[in-house]
Amino acid sequence: MADLWWIYSKPVPANGRELWTLFLQCSCITAVIGGLFYNWMFASLEYSWHLSIAMAISFSLLLLLTLLLVHPARCVFSMIMPTLGTKQGRKLLFSTCIMIAAVNITPNIISNIKTILQVIQCICKNSSDSLLNSTALLEKVSWEFGDAVQEAIPSMHKPMNGHFRFSLLQNSSLIYQKMHLAGEKISREFLSAEVLVKDSVRVANRLAAGFFMLYLCFESTWYLKNYLTNLSFDNFYITKKLERLAVDRRAAHLLVGSSKKLIRPTGLKLSREEVVLCLVQAMLVTVALMLMLVVVAMDHFAFSVADTAVRKAAQFSAVPVTLSIKYKAEVGIMPFLFKIFWRPSEALLLSDFNKTYHHHLLFSSAHCRISPPTPPKPSVLLVVGLLFCILYGTVFLETFARRLCRSIAASFFQSQEEKRALHLYRKLSRRHRKEQNSLKGDV
């Protein structure tokens, strides 16, 4: 592995064997990256498969030529991998989480809301249908009651028609048509809103992903540029070259006295600034996690409400309606004579109408078109949870990722690393001399 990395990091291969080895290394890297690039475009960004394949092949060929011919490009590409563990990598993971939520969670919420509205529409339609059908009962009652009234009244006083007329049933088709149009309008609006949300999030995620990838390359390039041009940039590590230089010049005590300010690149020690930065980034990830949990909770709540609405609507029982009519017609026999003799009056019973009518109001029907509630997908929750675990991991590994970037740059440009070690050694020597002079002045 050390020999392979040595060949990979060399500016120019020394012979044909090293050139062939470098070509095989770059080919394997581009094949793996091309496959990941295709899967990212097709599965995550939702591009068409033919466009994803064309872009992946073009990107792989371009990457192969760049890695094979341009030595600094190999260094930048190698630093992109650990850079994924920094804030730029977290932005890509955040973009992936948003895309997963937009493609899987948001449609679930909208689908369950549509189910709830379908239940409400079904209840309204059946209740109005049952209420309109009750007018037939009222018409029957009116005719029977009218017949009883006409039979009880003498023929010379009979009205021409003692019946009521109901015209509500004539407009039932119009009511059904309006309810159907209203339901179709709501369905179209929800469908258009769902399509708009998914398209907007897809376009925004594609733009954000492209921007973050370009910025990832830019950050690696910026780090390499500062590493090559600024000797003080990210130069506070006790490297092997610095230790060898200090031993050769018999100044190992400089490293011992500066151990609190210098850090070994392979150690686990974090500076105070690095600890504060990790805590701040962890808080930001926690805020994003809370927002994602709110979306997931909305998904579960919408499913719970939709499932309860469907089950309760299926359990609705018919509401019995009872209509009782009591009608009694009497004719008094010489009531004034009974009043004179203080006797209770007697009456001749002409009609005694006493009937009870029954009807049932229905609120649900098996003929309603209600789509079943869509439960949350456990696989989506698992993927989102795994991504956030990786996000928290990158927060605490960001410092070590930057150290790995410095080590990669040092292996690609060893002469520059020697200059940086010499610069740090001279800086420590000047600081040590100032401290010695200040102590002599105090004495």
Side-chain angles (χ1 to χ4, degrees):
M1 292 298 295
D3 293 338
L4 291 176
W5 179 256
W6 169 252
I7 296 174
Y8 181 76
S9 60
K10 287 180 65 174
V12 180
N15 49 47
R17 174 181 170 275
E18 291 186 356
L19 179 60
W20 180 247
T21 304
L22 178 62
F23 176 77
L24 291 179
Q25 286 178 318
C26 295
S27 299
C28 294
I29 291 173
T30 52
V32 174
I33 297 300
L36 294 176
F37 187 77
Y38 166 77
N39 184 72
W40 180 55
M41 290 192 63
F42 180 71
S44 181
L45 300 184
E46 295 189 331
Y47 283 102
S48 59
W49 66 270
H50 54 275
L51 178 61
S52 301
I53 290 177
M55 291 292 293
I57 293 176
S58 302
F59 176 75
S60 299
L61 293 177
L62 180 61
L63 181 63
L64 176 61
L65 293 176
T66 304
L67 293 180
L68 190 61
L69 301 177
V70 184
H71 175 253
R74 289 204 298 273
C75 180
V76 171
F77 177 78
S78 301
M79 287 193 297
I80 287 178
M81 299 306 166
T83 306
L84 289 172
T86 62
K87 60 182 180 180
Q88 301 309 322
R90 285 197 296 275
K91 290 178 181 179
L92 280 175
L93 292 177
F94 280 135
S95 174
T96 304
C97 289
I98 293 173
M99 192 63 189
I100 291 175
V103 174
N104 297 281
I105 299 179
T106 304
N108 264 22
I109 297 175
I110 296 178
S111 176
N112 288 323
I113 294 176
K114 286 170 62 177
T115 300
I116 296 171
L117 292 179
Q118 288 174 355
V119 171
I120 296 174
Q121 181 184 4
C122 176
I123 293 175
C124 293
K125 182 179 181 302
N126 283 282
S127 59
S128 61
D129 189 8
S130 181
L131 184 61
L132 289 175
N133 289 337
S134 66
T135 59
L137 176 64
L138 295 177
E139 187 176 12
K140 176 183 177 182
V141 172
S142 69
W143 280 98
E144 293 183 358
F145 180 62
D147 291 340
V149 171
Q150 287 186 336
E151 291 175 358
I153 299 177
S155 59
M156 61 180 299
H157 300 294
K158 279 186 179 181
M160 294 182 65
N161 191 354
H163 303 111
F164 299 98
R165 292 187 180 274
F166 293 88
S167 60
L168 292 175
L169 285 173
Q170 298 175 0
N171 298 326
S172 60
S173 60
L174 179 61
I175 294 175
Y176 295 155
Q177 183 180 4
K178 289 184 177 180
M179 292 183 63
H180 179 72
L181 292 177
E184 291 295 329
K185 182 180 179 182
I186 293 174
S187 299
R188 286 195 302 270
E189 289 178 352
F190 264 92
L191 181 61
S192 60
E194 181 179 358
V195 172
L196 179 61
V197 170
K198 291 180 67 174
D199 291 343
S200 301
V201 174
R202 185 184 298 110
V203 172
N205 189 66
R206 288 174 178 177
L207 294 175
F211 172 77
F212 291 147
M213 282 299 297
L214 292 176
Y215 194 80
L216 203 63
C217 298
F218 169 77
E219 186 172 357
S220 299
T221 306
W222 173 83
Y223 185 93
L224 181 60
K225 178 257 181 187
N226 286 320
Y227 179 87
L228 295 176
T229 57
N230 186 0
L231 296 177
S232 299
F233 174 74
D234 200 20
N235 193 6
F236 49 86
Y237 298 102
I238 304 177
T239 61
K240 292 182 179 180
K241 292 184 179 296
L242 181 61
E243 289 180 335
R244 191 179 305 114
L245 184 62
V247 171
D248 293 341
R249 300 195 179 188
R250 298 179 181 179
H253 59 279
L254 296 179
L255 305 182
V256 177
S258 304
S259 59
K260 295 182 179 180
K261 298 179 181 180
L262 300 180
I263 300 175
R264 293 188 179 274
T266 57
L268 300 177
K269 179 183 177 181
L270 297 177
S271 63
R272 180 177 300 177
E273 292 78 8
E274 291 173 339
V275 172
V276 172
L277 181 61
C278 288
L279 293 178
V280 172
Q281 296 297 330
M283 291 177 61
L284 295 178
V285 175
T286 303
V287 172
L289 177 61
M290 293 296 106
L291 294 177
M292 186 60 67
L293 288 178
V294 169
V295 177
V296 172
M298 289 175 59
D299 186 17
H300 282 77
F301 178 74
F303 169 72
S304 176
V305 173
D307 184 59
T308 303
V310 171
R311 287 189 290 103
K312 294 296 182 183
Q315 296 173 0
F316 275 163
S317 58
V319 178
V321 178
T322 303
L323 178 62
S324 298
I325 297 179
K326 294 182 180 181
Y327 171 73
K328 181 182 290 187
E330 296 178 341
V331 176
I333 303 175
M334 298 180 183
F336 61 94
L337 294 178
F338 288 94
K339 289 183 179 180
I340 293 175
F341 295 103
W342 300 92
R343 297 287 301 277
S345 62
E346 296 183 3
L348 178 62
L349 181 63
L350 298 179
S351 177
D352 186 5
F353 184 84
N354 187 359
K355 282 191 175 183
T356 300
Y357 300 89
H358 298 280
H359 184 68
H360 291 85
L361 293 177
L362 302 177
F363 294 95
S364 63
S365 173
H367 302 290
C368 289
R369 294 184 301 172
I370 300 177
S371 57
T374 307
K377 300 177 181 178
S379 59
V380 175
L381 300 181
L382 180 62
V383 171
V384 172
L386 179 62
L387 288 177
F388 271 95
C389 290
I390 297 175
L391 284 169
Y392 276 106
T394 59
V395 167
F396 298 100
L397 295 177
E398 180 174 2
T399 300
F400 303 100
R402 291 185 63 87
R403 296 178 185 179
L404 183 57
C405 288
R406 194 210 63 80
S407 300
I408 292 174
S411 63
F412 272 84
F413 300 93
Q414 297 186 10
S415 60
Q416 181 67 16
E417 180 63 17
E418 292 177 357
K419 294 179 182 179
R420 289 167 60 86
L422 181 60
H423 173 76
L424 182 57
Y425 172 78
R426 290 173 178 174
K427 183 179 178 180
L428 295 175
S429 299
R430 289 194 299 268
R431 183 183 300 170
H432 180 70
R433 284 196 298 267
K434 288 181 181 180
E435 292 178 354
Q436 293 295 327
N437 293 332
S438 63
L439 291 175
K440 291 180 180 179
D442 295 337
V443 174

